[in-house]
Amino acid sequence: MLMGQCKRRMRVRWIYMYVHQTRCVDSRVCSRNLLASLPRILQVQAANSLARRMRFGEKEVYFVVGDALQPDLPDGCADLVVSLESASYMPCKEKFVAQLARLCAAGGTVILVDFCRAPGSISTSLAKRLASMDSIFATPGNWHSAEQYKQLMGQCGLTVIRDGDWTRNVCGFWNVCLGSLLFRTSRPNMTFAQKYKEVHHRAVRTGWLLLTGGPAVLKMAVGYLLGQQKAVVQGGLDSGVLEYHVIVAKKPGK
């Protein structure tokens, strides 16, 4: 997910969601990237509907789906550009980081949050752990380290001001996320009947999205429920081959 925020005249003027429509390198997964499927489009529609219900106008907050390597957006259109767990899915990291820098206005901030590989050379056994990540999440396999991302940012005219290693902070994410998926409510002080109706509706909708999302989405969901994703990611984090970084960079002002 790639988001942009412009604070001129309004608290939030633009928020964009862009997903690169790649081809999976592993034919066992799917011929299309799972993030370019129908569920993603429906998520954006739901997000726009939620923004309207929260009384945000279309010129204040809106969501779109597009190609993150070729976004149809003008240069310097956002004061804040955030890439949340998107870079690892991009087949061309150089082009993706260049787009982040292009969309950011002079004096603005770019934040890249993602899983990264450990720096330096890795052993065959550790490389197999990254290959398992590719199989589970349909990533293209060209894993970059945090240092490589920072080098790309520097080549695009960005100045890295902070690099936070959040590897330990993401442990336990899956348990919390699953509980939120099953029992989260949209507003406080709901009755039991209201909560049951909302959770039931969410379960039905989620099941339909999984069925229409294709083999890749279904495989990812089954792996999530069976704990395969957690085992693979946790194994990568524990072995040290996988890291989770938050990189903040500034674009020089005019």
Side-chain angles (χ1 to χ4, degrees):
M1 180 172 62
L2 187 158
M3 301 177 290
Q5 174 182 344
C6 180
K7 296 180 287 187
R8 301 185 185 96
R9 295 187 300 175
M10 297 182 181
R11 183 176 60 173
V12 177
R13 188 175 180 184
W14 294 309
I15 295 182
Y16 296 96
M17 176 182 288
Y18 265 82
V19 181
H20 176 61
Q21 301 178 4
T22 67
R23 303 294 177 180
C24 291
V25 296
D26 190 344
S27 60
R28 295 172 298 173
V29 179
C30 188
S31 61
R32 291 188 61 193
N33 188 293
L34 60 111
L35 294 179
S37 60
L38 179 60
R40 187 62 61 177
I41 298 174
L42 295 177
Q43 286 180 5
V44 170
Q45 292 176 349
N48 280 317
S49 177
L50 177 61
R52 302 296 87 78
R53 293 201 303 270
M54 296 179 67
R55 308 234 177 143
F56 285 108
E58 292 185 3
K59 293 185 179 180
E60 293 178 305
V61 176
Y62 63 94
F63 298 79
V64 294
V65 176
D67 188 341
L69 296 186
Q70 296 178 331
D72 186 19
L73 298 170
D75 295 354
C77 63
D79 300 309
L80 173 64
V81 179
V82 181
S83 169
L84 177 59
E85 297 184 6
S86 296
S88 55
Y89 288 93
M90 301 298 162
C92 182
K93 307 292 193 285
E94 295 82 0
K95 191 173 182 179
F96 178 66
V97 174
Q99 289 296 335
L100 299 182
R102 182 185 71 80
L103 296 176
C104 185
T109 303
V110 174
I111 302 177
L112 189 149
V113 183
D114 220 312
F115 287 97
C116 306
R117 57 158 284 176
S121 59
I122 58 176
S123 65
T124 302
S125 60
L126 293 180
K128 289 181 179 180
R129 290 191 178 275
L130 292 179
S132 298
M133 289 282 294
D134 296 331
S135 177
I136 291 284
F137 294 99
T139 44
N142 56 339
W143 290 91
H144 275 41
S145 66
E147 290 299 324
Q148 288 176 298
Y149 281 121
K150 290 190 286 185
Q151 290 176 5
L152 292 178
M153 287 180 167
Q155 294 170 6
C156 296
L158 301 175
T159 302
V160 176
I161 61 174
R162 182 173 298 179
D163 175 16
D165 186 346
W166 282 22
T167 304
R168 293 297 100 192
N169 296 353
V170 299
C171 296
F173 160 79
W174 290 267
N175 297 332
V176 175
C177 186
L178 182 58
S180 175
L181 174 65
L182 296 177
F183 304 111
R184 173 179 52 86
T185 56
S186 59
R187 61 183 187 276
N189 302 323
M190 295 178 66
T191 65
F192 176 80
Q194 291 174 327
K195 291 180 180 179
Y196 176 82
K197 182 178 179 180
E198 184 173 70
V199 171
H200 179 266
H201 175 74
R202 186 183 303 127
V204 173
R205 181 178 176 84
T206 301
W208 183 80
L209 291 176
L210 293 176
L211 293 176
T212 58
V217 174
L218 191 58
K219 177 182 179 180
M220 194 171 181
V222 172
Y224 177 84
L225 294 175
L226 295 180
Q228 293 175 336
Q229 291 183 14
K230 178 180 179 180
V232 169
V233 177
Q234 195 63 53
L237 296 174
D238 292 340
S239 67
V241 72
L242 197 62
E243 300 175 347
Y244 195 89
H245 282 256
V246 179
I247 304 174
V248 182
K250 296 285 292 185
K251 190 171 186 178
K254 296 181 180 179

